[in-house]
Amino acid sequence: MKTIKNLFLMLSFVAASMFGASAANAASCSGGWTYVSGVYEYNVNGTTYGYIYTVPEHNVLPAFTNYYVTYNKEALIQAKMALQNHQSLYLYGDSGTAACPTSGSYRYLGTLTYLYEY
């Protein structure tokens, strides 16, 4: 009986730590596996920048679109390739809790800081 009690105690500790981590990610709302729905690149006076539009990965009919801004040409190329090949990307922006939008069709998630591919 003591072993089962210890097992439940350990599982509740693990669940609490996982909830704390996901709550922290939910507060920043600026990262996750997504599908790229559009990439728009601009060149102004020799400076390249662009917007990457995404929808959540496992969402059939998304109610909103997230977007990031980036000044990294390689990130724009990678996002264009993901769009063309229907690949998922993990994008993380620098928006904090103050800039975390909860309504609207287009939600700005900050400047792109990380981009990972499956």
Side-chain angles (χ1 to χ4, degrees):
M1 189 65 162
K2 188 174 182 179
T3 305
I4 293 174
K5 183 179 175 183
N6 288 338
L7 178 65
F8 282 128
L9 181 64
M10 181 182 67
L11 288 175
S12 64
F13 176 74
V14 170
S17 66
M18 290 174 72
F19 175 75
S22 76
N25 287 338
S28 67
C29 78
S30 59
W33 288 104
T34 60
Y35 289 119
V36 177
S37 61
V39 179
Y40 301 96
E41 183 177 338
Y42 304 96
N43 190 331
V44 178
N45 297 329
T47 302
T48 300
Y49 72 97
Y51 294 94
I52 301 172
Y53 289 83
T54 63
V55 293
E57 183 179 33
H58 297 290
N59 202 340
V60 178
L61 297 172
F64 59 90
T65 299
N66 297 323
Y67 69 98
Y68 304 84
V69 66
T70 184
Y71 298 93
N72 187 334
K73 177 107 173 129
E74 289 78 22
L76 291 170
I77 292 170
Q78 189 68 29
K80 287 178 186 178
M81 289 174 46
L83 175 62
Q84 179 182 2
N85 297 326
H86 306 287
Q87 293 176 320
S88 294
L89 293 178
Y90 184 87
L91 303 172
Y92 188 84
D94 66 353
S95 70
T97 55
C100 180
T102 57
S103 63
S105 298
Y106 294 96
R107 300 179 182 184
Y108 177 64
L109 298 183
T111 302
L112 185 67
T113 54
Y114 298 109
L115 183 146
Y116 299 107
E117 133 180 42
Y118 265 149

